[in-house]
Amino acid sequence: MSTPSLTTPSTTRSARAAKADAVTAAAVDLARQAAEEAAADFGVGEHLGVVVEGDRVVTHLFACPHPAYVDWRWAVTLVRASRARIPTVNEVVLLPSADALLARPWVPWTDRIQAGDLAPGVLLPTPDNDPRLEPGFTGADQAPDTDPAEAAMTRVVVAELGLGRERVLSREGRELAADRWLHGNGGPEVPLARQAPAPCRTCGYFVRLQGGLGTTFGACTNEFSPSDGHVVSIDHGCGGHSDVAAEERGIELDDPVHDTISTDDALFD
């Protein structure tokens, strides 16, 4: 049944000019009883009106007072057979109005995970076709065709070069990370960077990353900076720049009233 439109509490005419059946339109108590049986703990509120569905077919609308179903209504459809004196209940449903509070669209589990959702003990599988990754060099492909000693030497060299991983960051993965970092808290457009005395690339606490990302990003090692331990761009900055040095290391004190440091040489003549 399509969602009925709200009308006056009395009678109405449908688009095809069906006459309101007086018996079914007046059977509010019967419709309320059917709604209460279906609603249970949800409850049934005031009678909102009657919608003419056809000849001897009407739908009574009742408010739903449940706080989780704001602006929803119970729709009870009554039907009276020809020459019958008492209508019968055809259908009872809970329908939303135009301004009803609806649930958000269903999102698959794989699309629900957002940044920061990974908690201790939670495993987040990486798809085998993740565009952010590409196959890395481990030297295992050449191992069956080489001498065991040479294979061992190859693995040592691979490890020293920082390789040996099954998958490494792809170009798309690097671009996604760079875009995310540039527009994050460690980027050059945040208020902290705009008010900084100098950029991070000239700071002694700035340590560049290795690889291609190192041309634009590094890590902050200043424990007093809000960026400490985080990736920052070379154009980022904060008030803890290493070039902001104190002009004086201490203060000058006046001469003491009593000299208790120097010695009088005449006492030892």
Side-chain angles (χ1 to χ4, degrees):
M1 184 187 69
S2 59
T3 303
S5 58
L6 183 61
T7 60
T8 59
S10 58
T11 59
T12 186
R13 292 179 180 271
S14 65
R16 50 195 187 119
K19 295 182 179 181
D21 182 67
V23 177
T24 54
V28 178
D29 294 338
L30 176 63
R32 177 178 291 277
Q33 180 181 0
E36 291 176 348
E37 293 178 357
D41 295 338
F42 275 41
V44 178
E46 62 178 336
H47 184 245
L48 300 177
V50 179
V51 177
V52 178
E53 304 287 358
D55 295 336
R56 298 184 302 278
V57 181
V58 301
T59 297
H60 290 268
L61 302 176
F62 299 91
C64 179
H66 196 282
Y69 289 83
V70 179
D71 289 333
W72 286 61
R73 57 211 182 177
W74 292 103
V76 182
T77 302
L78 301 182
V79 179
R80 186 175 68 88
S82 178
R83 299 181 181 181
R85 296 182 179 181
I86 301 175
T88 57
V89 178
N90 179 63
E91 186 180 31
V92 181
V93 292
L94 182 62
L95 299 175
S97 64
D99 300 327
L101 179 64
L102 302 177
R104 294 181 179 180
W106 185 82
V107 179
W109 180 85
T110 54
D111 298 334
R112 293 183 212 166
I113 301 177
Q114 302 296 325
D117 289 346
L118 194 61
V122 177
L123 298 179
L124 179 61
T126 301
D128 56 356
N129 60 345
D130 194 326
R132 299 171 300 173
L133 299 173
E134 61 185 11
F137 178 76
T138 61
D141 296 339
Q142 302 176 358
D145 302 330
T146 59
D147 183 74
E150 295 181 2
M153 184 62 67
T154 301
R155 287 192 293 269
V156 172
V157 175
V158 166
E160 291 179 353
L161 293 177
L163 304 175
R165 292 172 291 174
E166 293 291 340
R167 288 191 287 180
V168 296
L169 201 61
S170 65
R171 180 177 180 179
E172 182 176 351
R174 288 192 297 270
E175 292 177 351
L176 290 174
D179 183 72
R180 186 171 61 252
W181 292 346
L182 284 174
H183 293 86
N185 295 330
E189 300 298 330
V190 295
L192 183 68
R194 292 182 177 180
Q195 301 178 14
C200 286
R201 63 173 174 268
T202 61
C203 181
Y205 298 110
F206 180 73
V207 179
R208 285 187 180 269
L209 299 181
Q210 293 183 354
L213 291 174
T215 60
T216 311
F217 300 99
C220 177
T221 63
N222 186 353
E223 62 177 319
F224 299 105
S225 170
S227 302
D228 179 42
H230 294 80
V231 174
V232 294
S233 67
I234 59 175
D235 296 329
H236 184 68
C238 69
H241 196 281
S242 61
D243 291 346
V244 182
E247 297 181 357
E248 299 180 358
R249 294 181 179 271
I251 58 175
E252 295 184 359
L253 300 177
D254 297 333
D255 295 334
V257 178
H258 300 285
D259 186 1
T260 58
I261 299 176
S262 60
T263 58
D264 189 353
D265 295 337
L267 297 175
F268 299 96
D269 290 342

